[in-house]
Amino acid sequence: TERVLSVILDRDAAKWFKPGRGQFQLFYKWGAEQREYQPDFVAETEDAIYMLEPKARNDLQDGEVIAKKDSAIRWCQYATDHAAKNRGKPWTYLLIPHDAIAENMTLKGLVAQFAVR
């Protein structure tokens, strides 16, 4: 799934990368712990920046996946607010079921279906 998504990003994004540990300072609460979350991909287009997380469809309702998603949505909103004040691009989080990713998909199509706001 990640390989296929990287093919899509190579084709459709101006640039993309796989974030390293600590790069976003993105944390979520899980039980009594504060855990760090690294999205699988970040991609930039002409008008926006996307955090993309492919996930097995049967894991989409998992409590930890939801906690990560909620944290990433908040982070993207803060980043978008900052970008709006500084002529930057809006940020959007995508939680994508693994079986929805195919080489004939486009980044624009994935955004239309799986952007979480």
Side-chain angles (χ1 to χ4, degrees):
T1 300
E2 287 190 12
R3 185 197 65 77
V4 175
L5 185 53
S6 69
V7 168
I8 295 167
L9 296 178
D10 273 342
R11 185 180 58 228
D12 294 351
K15 51 190 165 187
W16 67 272
F17 67 99
K18 288 186 65 68
R21 189 167 195 80
Q23 192 157 2
F24 283 98
Q25 298 291 306
L26 182 53
F27 297 92
Y28 67 100
K29 187 171 175 87
W30 186 243
E33 297 179 38
Q34 284 280 64
R35 293 185 178 177
E36 185 176 3
Y37 169 49
Q38 296 302 324
D40 284 342
F41 296 93
V42 174
E44 184 173 357
T45 65
E46 188 175 310
D47 349 351
I49 302 173
Y50 302 102
M51 271 189 189
L52 302 101
E53 181 71 33
K55 193 59 73 179
R57 186 174 292 276
N58 63 336
D59 289 339
L60 293 178
Q61 297 305 314
D62 177 78
E64 190 167 12
V65 171
I66 292 169
K68 290 176 181 180
K69 174 188 76 169
D70 292 345
S71 181
I73 291 168
R74 253 188 327 279
W75 193 99
C76 286
Q77 186 58 58
Y78 294 144
T80 296
D81 293 347
H82 177 77
K85 295 173 188 166
N86 296 284
R87 297 185 185 174
K89 298 176 183 179
W91 286 72
T92 301
Y93 181 73
L94 281 75
L95 182 59
I96 310 167
H98 78 287
D99 56 0
I101 298 171
E103 285 192 40
N104 66 341
M105 295 293 295
T106 63
L107 179 54
K108 189 174 186 175
L110 292 171
V111 171
Q113 290 182 66
F114 302 109
V116 183
R117 294 186 168 92

